[in-house]
Amino acid sequence: MREKQKKPSLIEAISINLKASKEISRVCPGLFSSLAAANALEAVNNYLFIFITARLLNELVGQCRVGKLIQWAVFGAIAALIVELIVRYFHRRSQLLEEVSGEAIERLYMEKLFSMDFADVDKHSTHDLLAQIRQNERSVGFGFGAVPGILSDIIYSLTSVLSGIGLTVSLFTSKVTADGPLRLLNSPFIILAAVLILMGISYLAGTLNKKAESNWTHGKELSAKSNRVRDTFVKLGRSVLGAADIRLYRQEKIALNHIRSEDAYGPGGAVDKLVLSNVGVLFGLSQGGQMLFTGGAYVLICLKALGGAFAIGSVTQYAGALALANFTVFNLFGAAGRLTANASYLKTANRFFEIPNLMVQGTIPTEKRNDREYDVEFRDVSFKYPGADTWALRQLNVRFKVGARYAVVGENGSGKTTFIKLLCRLYDPQEGQILLNGIDIKKYDYREYMDLFSVVFQDFQLFSQPLGANVAGSADYDAGRVKTALEEAGFGERLKELPQGLDTCLYRDFGDDGINISGGEAQKIAIARALYKNAPFLILDEPTAALDPIAEADIYAHLGGIVGDRTAIFISHRLSSCRFCDEILVFDAGRIVQRGSHEALVSDKNGRYSAFWQAQAQYYKEDR
Ligand code: ADP
């Protein structure tokens, strides 16, 4: 739905729509210039025909000079040909660009989603807002997607009105030459009164049209729910999953009843009622006003022609130009109505685009050190997820020794992954500070700080792209280093089997030549990607969860060598894999309740770690 706030003024609406058009131009260059050229020239073209016809008629009923007639005819034909060629060229181009503009607008949303703070991507409110914007675009037809159409209408109508005025100025200035009461039409006051009356009627008809358009927009909003209900059931009808239930329980009756009861367009539906009352009456009155204008204009033209103010050819010019201009004034008001309505929807869309990036405000570059002496410390850090009542982490104090290996253990939900997310600055803590070499990490350049971490999260993401590009995170990569990383992560043997090697595409989203990989293989590739990044911190969150026991043992056997001089943090539910770590942090309900080496923690018989260890002891015997 659109913003439930004061309706924007016309000036505000123009500014909001123009700002949106600038954004669309950025991802779809050439769209608005082509639309402007095509629409403006098309509007002029209509008047060109009226103008040339009037010149020919005037010559025919006047002096009837053959040379002049040929001159006007040739000029008319050449001018029409040139304008038509240009109009067609820009029309074709703008049609093409309009077709791709939907995808380009989608890219605007994607760019924003990719660049916004992780905490915002993770919020329900962000996704609700996005769903609302999509619903507005699809069901009501307003938002960014409506901007090209509305601006085209306005350019066309404005050019048309201005051209019409240009061709009718002489209607008001030309003098009646015959004697008699028609001479009164030479009085500037009478002409001014005629102009004002015509403008008044045109304005009134236009305003009624604008009101009708705006109420019609509201009507489309009323149909949004009906569209949603229909779409949901259509999708359900196509789905194989629900097909059995629908048959067994005759669920189609519920569906059809629901569709009927929500049908906004059917007889007696919300939209039908609106058309029968308010919208229908307003449209009718505005059309009536238009007819009144045309009638009034014809009376003036005929009277002046009778008084000898101009020849018969000019009568066709004025009548044609005024009728056309009046029609486009009418459209202009309609377009202005849609422009104002669209501004409300754009405000909703802008709420999404204006979600601030709070994370990127730091400016200090991180030190570029070969010795990897990056000292990170959590000082009294507490954190709650947005909208949550309970603390996910409470008063954490940890200082990572450079080059040491840490294990993070604890029950599900004890805060291990959250701890890592804060360390990489996907979230900022509400209390306490995280420091890098003594400086609050918020003060560092966000991207540079993130560059310090190679992380494999449990829900890591690989793309349907070549293997090499997946590991390097880029299409340009050092093939030797990518291979080494894959070998270190345990993917070496599988790589040898791939005929296209690093060029093998993962998954089959874009073609049949891709390969499907198992969860374990994907995890190895994700580990290789972390190794290729070669950041000073290597963090693996349940790195072997999807691996079979042999692959897991293999990874852990090599982990010491793989980690090298990096500071490493492993989250693992298998305590046996933590034994090689220098320090183990035991999490419980968001706090670190125990820390120390494996031996020290196991010997503390009352501690949590010892309890976990005992519980898993059976496991390890089997492992061994
Ligand atoms: P662990 O990694 O130890 O299983 P997490 O760090 O994932 O634990 O979760 C810690 C707590 O935070 C849990 O209570 C979990 O439900 C909650 N939590 C995790 N992710 C989110 C989230 N995105 N939004 C709200 N709460 C979350």
Side-chain angles (χ1 to χ4, degrees):
M1 296 291 110
R2 58 182 148 170
E3 299 282 285
K4 291 260 182 302
Q5 44 181 278
K6 206 165 73 50
K7 250 174 111 178
S9 68
L10 185 62
I11 302 287
E12 201 190 344
I14 293 173
S15 140
I16 294 173
N17 279 275
L18 284 181
K19 194 169 156 253
S21 74
K22 253 194 213 159
E23 279 301 300
I24 300 171
S25 293
R26 194 168 58 73
V27 281
C28 193
L31 172 64
F32 286 98
S33 51
S34 301
L35 282 174
N39 282 286
L41 281 172
E42 189 165 7
V44 170
N45 205 13
N46 296 329
Y47 290 93
L48 186 68
F49 179 72
I50 294 175
F51 177 74
I52 300 290
T53 311
R55 298 289 78 70
L56 288 170
L57 276 177
N58 276 349
E59 195 56 43
L60 280 170
V61 295
Q63 293 168 282
C64 206
R65 291 162 295 182
V66 177
K68 272 276 169 199
L69 281 171
I70 293 175
Q71 205 179 324
W72 277 118
V74 171
F75 170 75
I78 293 176
L81 179 75
I82 293 173
V83 174
E84 193 60 25
L85 278 178
I86 303 175
V87 166
R88 287 300 129 217
Y89 170 79
F90 282 112
H91 251 309
R92 191 71 211 104
R93 178 144 195 262
S94 55
Q95 261 173 3
L96 191 76
L97 289 171
E98 254 189 303
E99 271 168 32
V100 295
S101 68
E103 184 265 333
I105 291 168
E106 198 54 39
R107 219 175 327 138
L108 283 177
Y109 287 105
M110 241 166 62
E111 272 178 18
K112 178 66 188 174
L113 274 172
F114 281 148
S115 66
M116 75 172 50
D117 289 349
F118 179 80
D120 289 314
V121 179
D122 209 23
K123 273 186 199 159
H124 273 302
S125 56
T126 308
H127 294 278
D128 285 349
L129 180 60
L130 204 53
Q132 185 186 336
I133 296 166
R134 292 256 155 84
Q135 168 83 4
N136 289 343
E137 293 260 2
R138 286 195 196 127
S139 299
V140 195
F142 278 105
F144 270 72
V147 175
I150 295 175
L151 290 188
S152 298
D153 282 357
I154 289 183
I155 291 166
Y156 178 86
S157 306
L158 267 181
T159 319
S160 179
V161 171
L162 290 176
S163 310
I165 291 174
L167 283 195
T168 42
V169 169
S170 53
L171 163 67
F172 301 100
T173 55
S174 57
K175 299 284 179 214
V176 169
T177 51
D179 289 332
L182 288 176
R183 280 257 168 179
L184 279 175
L185 291 174
N186 288 344
S187 153
F189 296 109
I190 293 209
I191 287 300
L192 186 67
V195 169
L196 288 178
I197 289 171
L198 285 177
M199 278 173 61
I201 297 172
S202 185
Y203 178 79
L204 192 70
T207 313
L208 289 170
N209 185 34
K210 185 172 158 213
K211 184 84 190 131
E213 282 278 3
S214 156
N215 290 356
W216 178 235
T217 307
H218 173 62
K220 288 211 229 160
E221 264 179 18
L222 294 176
S223 70
K225 187 169 177 208
S226 135
N227 292 343
R228 205 162 56 224
V229 168
R230 204 186 40 239
D231 287 355
T232 308
F233 286 122
V234 166
K235 251 185 245 153
L236 202 68
R238 288 197 196 125
S239 136
V240 182
L241 280 178
D245 269 2
I246 288 173
R247 277 154 189 75
L248 281 168
Y249 298 104
R250 298 273 180 102
Q251 283 178 316
E252 75 280 1
K253 278 192 286 187
I254 312 176
L256 292 173
N257 263 343
H258 198 162
I259 290 175
R260 231 170 273 137
S261 67
E262 288 296 341
D263 186 7
Y265 289 97
V271 176
D272 183 47
K273 278 187 194 153
L274 200 69
V275 171
L276 285 177
S277 58
N278 182 312
V279 171
V281 171
L282 286 173
F283 270 128
L285 284 175
S286 64
Q287 293 281 354
Q290 244 204 328
M291 293 302 129
L292 199 62
F293 176 95
T294 312
Y298 271 50
V299 169
L300 180 69
I301 296 165
C302 290
L303 289 178
K304 284 199 104 173
L306 267 179
F310 38 74
I312 194 75
S314 300
V315 171
T316 60
Q317 171 175 322
Y318 299 139
L322 270 179
L324 200 56
N326 180 43
F327 178 69
T328 42
V329 165
F330 186 76
N331 278 349
L332 189 61
F333 273 88
R338 276 181 290 128
L339 187 88
T340 319
N342 199 40
S344 305
Y345 291 97
L346 286 174
K347 275 187 174 180
T348 308
N350 286 341
R351 260 179 39 219
F352 172 78
F353 287 107
E354 284 159 12
I355 293 174
N357 280 84
L358 300 175
M359 293 278 193
V360 294
Q361 289 170 3
T363 50
I364 309 179
T366 54
E367 280 182 78
K368 312 289 174 292
R369 318 178 57 119
N370 290 331
D371 58 6
R372 301 188 191 266
E373 288 278 332
Y374 294 97
D375 173 9
V376 177
E377 181 184 357
F378 276 56
R379 223 181 253 174
D380 266 332
V381 167
S382 296
F383 173 75
K384 257 183 207 172
Y385 278 98
D389 298 326
T390 49
W391 294 98
L393 293 178
R394 200 69 185 124
Q395 289 164 344
L396 294 198
N397 284 290
V398 187
R399 184 167 188 168
F400 294 102
K401 281 195 215 98
V402 176
R405 274 132 221 216
Y406 294 86
V408 177
V409 301
E411 286 177 9
N412 279 344
S414 57
K416 305 182 295 293
T417 301
T418 310
F419 171 58
I420 300 302
K421 285 185 173 163
L422 260 71
L423 173 62
C424 316
R425 224 188 144 209
L426 290 174
Y427 294 101
D428 278 332
Q430 283 88 1
E431 287 179 15
Q433 275 186 313
I434 304 172
L435 308 165
L436 168 66
N437 294 343
I439 298 173
D440 193 318
I441 58 172
K442 290 183 192 169
K443 296 192 175 150
Y444 286 101
D445 177 284
Y446 187 58
R447 297 253 161 237
E448 291 206 3
Y449 179 77
M450 278 204 151
D451 285 345
L452 300 179
F453 300 91
S454 288
V455 191
V456 182
F457 285 109
Q458 288 178 45
D459 52 356
F460 61 83
Q461 176 78 52
L462 298 176
F463 290 101
S464 194
Q465 292 289 316
L467 172 62
N470 263 289
V471 173
S474 152
D476 296 321
Y477 54 81
D478 177 336
R481 279 188 53 223
V482 168
K483 272 186 192 151
T484 311
L486 283 166
E487 279 157 13
E488 283 179 339
F491 197 80
E493 289 306 312
R494 181 80 166 96
L495 178 62
K496 281 185 204 147
E497 292 166 12
L498 300 175
Q500 295 187 65
L502 298 180
D503 294 327
T504 311
C505 194
L506 299 189
Y507 311 114
R508 296 200 170 140
D509 302 47
F510 305 124
D512 288 341
D513 56 346
I515 54 161
N516 281 326
I517 48 173
S518 69
E521 286 171 337
Q523 205 157 30
K524 286 176 184 172
I525 296 169
I527 293 175
R529 180 174 63 181
L531 296 174
Y532 183 88
K533 185 175 174 189
N534 196 21
F537 283 81
L538 175 68
I539 303 170
L540 306 181
D541 187 351
E542 301 269 7
T544 53
L547 299 187
D548 57 68
I550 298 172
E552 182 184 6
D554 198 40
I555 288 266
Y556 276 106
H558 293 101
L559 217 45
I562 293 172
V563 170
D565 58 354
R566 298 175 180 101
T567 306
I569 305 166
F570 307 106
I571 297 183
S572 181
H573 61 289
R574 295 224 178 182
L575 301 192
S576 59
S577 7
C578 305
R579 277 181 295 191
F580 73 97
C581 289
D582 301 303
E583 187 166 9
I584 298 167
L585 308 174
V586 184
F587 275 68
D588 185 37
R591 292 176 189 268
I592 297 181
V593 290
Q594 261 190 307
R595 57 201 297 172
S597 66
H598 172 74
E599 285 69 29
L601 292 176
V602 167
S603 59
D604 179 359
K605 297 286 177 227
N606 297 321
R608 272 209 159 250
Y609 188 84
S610 166
F612 286 149
W613 180 254
Q614 293 307 328
Q616 291 189 356
Q618 188 60 34
Y619 233 9
Y620 306 138
K621 276 179 204 150
E622 283 167 12
D623 275 5
R624 241 175 266 138

